[in-house]
Amino acid sequence: MKFCTAMSAVLALPVTLVPKIAAALEADGRPSIIWLEFQSCTGDTEALLRAANPTVGEIVLDVLSVDYSETIMAAAGHQAEEARMKTLKEQKGKYIAVVEGAIPVKDGGIYCCIAGKSALDIARDVCGNALATITVGTCASYGGIPAAAPNPTGAVGVKEAVPGATVINLPGCPVNTDNLVATVVHFLTFGKLPAVDGKGRPLFAYGKRIHDNCERRPHFDAGQYVEAWGSEAHRSGHCLYKMGCKGPETFHNCPIQRYNEKTNWPVGSGHGCAGCSEPQFWDTMTPFYKRLPNVPGFGVETTADKIGTGLAVATAAAFAAHGVVSAFRRKDEPEREKEE
């Protein structure tokens, strides 16, 4: 029940649906999972292995049936390939594909091959016959770092490589395992994938900007910015926007879900957001340590210096006025006492 309550919170569902989530998880027939890994750093698998609530053991044994995953499966070589083919044959149209890493398409996809088959062919076979495909990490979602200019291998995301597949994207470097498990739980509970935005990301996890939920946001509104790493403002938790933080134009629930058993996240530890859950972030968000001149869709950050200065002056004026009024009040108090 604790796990189901946590999932309802991630999905922004009322607690009244917790029994329904529990019933869905207790029902027979855990969904079969084929986890593919292509052009990646394995960071998303590492995130899965470090999951805390639920643990990777609970995910693999209680929530999902991971039939194929090169990193955590006992089988290897031909036996591993046989396990994948068995699921493809017996669970066609019923299993869920999870893809980690970009797919190279240049020169017929020869830049990533497994067991003599290209990643492109494997993806077309597995994702094309899956009930749904969940991409984990930005590389699988949009091409990520392998697709950064000049993109020598022609790396792309799953949806671009397999246009006909039903795909839901969970970008991030790495994916937050809570979002992955919540996506599957939503499917098990309601029989459908969660609602997504225009970039194929579930709204429960990517519906709000990092800037809107950031614990440093009050400092932005107050015009209190970090101007140098290691400064007093930096140690005091002031806004990192001037240091290159891309939170104002990045959609993700990092400030809420966090990482490492919800201990912290990049901005909380003193580093600006790199915008890693956005398409082409490596090309469009760089340089990472410089403020972008314009932020699409939000006008305040484009004039952060003026707004911040104006707020600071207005705040100072307000405090000064408050001080004057307080002084008059203190002066009036003895007069009132005499009258009394």
Side-chain angles (χ1 to χ4, degrees), residues 277-302:
S277 58
E278 297 299 316
Q280 293 83 46
F281 83 98
W282 195 262
D283 295 323
T284 60
M285 298 291 187
T286 51
F288 290 135
Y289 297 106
K290 288 187 178 180
R291 177 159 56 98
L292 297 181
N294 296 299
V295 179
F298 196 67
V300 174
E301 283 86 347
T302 61

Side-chain angles (χ1 to χ4, degrees), residues 97-182:
V98 177
V99 181
E100 173 180 8
I103 301 172
V105 298
K106 189 176 179 180
D107 299 327
I110 64 172
Y111 300 105
C112 181
C113 294
I114 302 168
K117 295 183 66 176
S118 71
L120 181 59
D121 288 337
I122 295 173
R124 286 172 175 169
D125 191 19
V126 175
C127 301
N129 291 291
L131 175 65
T133 297
I134 303 174
T135 65
V136 290
T138 305
C139 294
S141 298
Y142 310 121
I145 294 177
N151 193 2
T153 66
V156 298
V158 174
K159 189 62 178 177
E160 187 172 346
V162 192
T166 300
V167 178
I168 186 166
N169 295 321
L170 299 180
C173 292
V175 67
N176 190 312
T177 307
D178 290 348
N179 293 334
L180 170 59
V181 177

Side-chain angles (χ1 to χ4, degrees), residues 27-45:
D28 294 333
R30 291 175 295 143
S32 293
I33 300 292
I34 296 180
W35 186 300
L36 302 174
E37 185 172 350
F38 299 131
Q39 286 180 308
S40 77
C41 64
T42 319
D44 303 294
T45 295

Side-chain angles (χ1 to χ4, degrees), residues 13-339:
L13 297 174
V15 293
T16 53
L17 289 178
V18 169
K20 184 174 182 178
I21 295 174
L25 293 176
E26 290 174 350
D28 294 333
R30 291 175 295 143
S32 293
I33 300 292
I34 296 180
W35 186 300
L36 302 174
E37 185 172 350
F38 299 131
Q39 286 180 308
S40 77
C41 64
T42 319
D44 303 294
T45 295
E46 292 292 342
L48 172 68
L49 296 177
R50 285 158 178 75
N53 184 27
T55 64
V56 64
E58 292 170 330
I59 294 172
V60 173
L61 299 176
D62 300 332
V63 181
L64 309 174
S65 176
V66 182
D67 297 340
Y68 180 90
S69 172
E70 297 166 2
T71 306
I72 66 174
M73 68 190 305
H78 295 296
Q79 291 180 329
E81 296 306 303
E82 288 173 4
R84 189 182 76 219
M85 296 308 296
K86 183 174 184 289
T87 301
L88 277 171
K89 181 180 179 180
E90 297 179 357
Q91 301 291 329
K92 184 177 180 179
K94 299 178 182 178
Y95 64 86
I96 297 175
V98 177
V99 181
E100 173 180 8
I103 301 172
V105 298
K106 189 176 179 180
D107 299 327
I110 64 172
Y111 300 105
C112 181
C113 294
I114 302 168
K117 295 183 66 176
S118 71
L120 181 59
D121 288 337
I122 295 173
R124 286 172 175 169
D125 191 19
V126 175
C127 301
N129 291 291
L131 175 65
T133 297
I134 303 174
T135 65
V136 290
T138 305
C139 294
S141 298
Y142 310 121
I145 294 177
N151 193 2
T153 66
V156 298
V158 174
K159 189 62 178 177
E160 187 172 346
V162 192
T166 300
V167 178
I168 186 166
N169 295 321
L170 299 180
C173 292
V175 67
N176 190 312
T177 307
D178 290 348
N179 293 334
L180 170 59
V181 177
T183 300
V184 176
V185 167
H186 186 284
F187 175 77
L188 294 177
T189 304
F190 301 104
K192 61 181 180 180
L193 294 171
V196 299
D197 64 8
K199 298 174 182 177
R201 305 174 296 191
L203 292 173
F204 75 82
Y206 302 88
K208 293 185 178 180
R209 294 179 311 157
I210 281 179
H211 188 65
D212 297 329
N213 290 315
C214 179
E215 63 260 36
R216 295 175 184 251
R217 176 61 187 267
H219 292 290
F220 172 86
D221 294 336
Q224 298 172 329
Y225 301 101
V226 176
E227 304 280 354
W229 300 114
S231 63
E232 180 60 32
H234 187 212
R235 293 192 296 271
S236 298
H238 288 185
C239 179
L240 294 164
Y241 177 66
K242 288 188 177 182
M243 303 304 291
C245 181
K246 306 306 186 294
E249 56 190 319
T250 302
F251 290 79
H252 209 167
N253 60 357
C254 294
I256 300 173
Q257 291 306 119
R258 305 192 174 200
Y259 291 87
N260 298 327
E261 300 184 33
K262 293 183 172 60
T263 301
N264 213 330
W265 66 297
V267 173
S269 63
H271 191 284
C273 169
C276 69
S277 58
E278 297 299 316
Q280 293 83 46
F281 83 98
W282 195 262
D283 295 323
T284 60
M285 298 291 187
T286 51
F288 290 135
Y289 297 106
K290 288 187 178 180
R291 177 159 56 98
L292 297 181
N294 296 299
V295 179
F298 196 67
V300 174
E301 283 86 347
T302 61
T303 55
D305 293 321
K306 295 179 181 179
I307 295 294
T309 303
L311 287 172
V313 172
T315 302
F319 276 115
H322 176 73
V324 172
V325 173
S326 298
F328 277 116
R329 286 176 178 171
R330 286 194 298 270
K331 183 178 179 181
D332 290 342
E333 284 174 0
E335 298 298 328
R336 285 198 296 269
E337 291 175 358
K338 289 181 182 178
E339 291 176 2

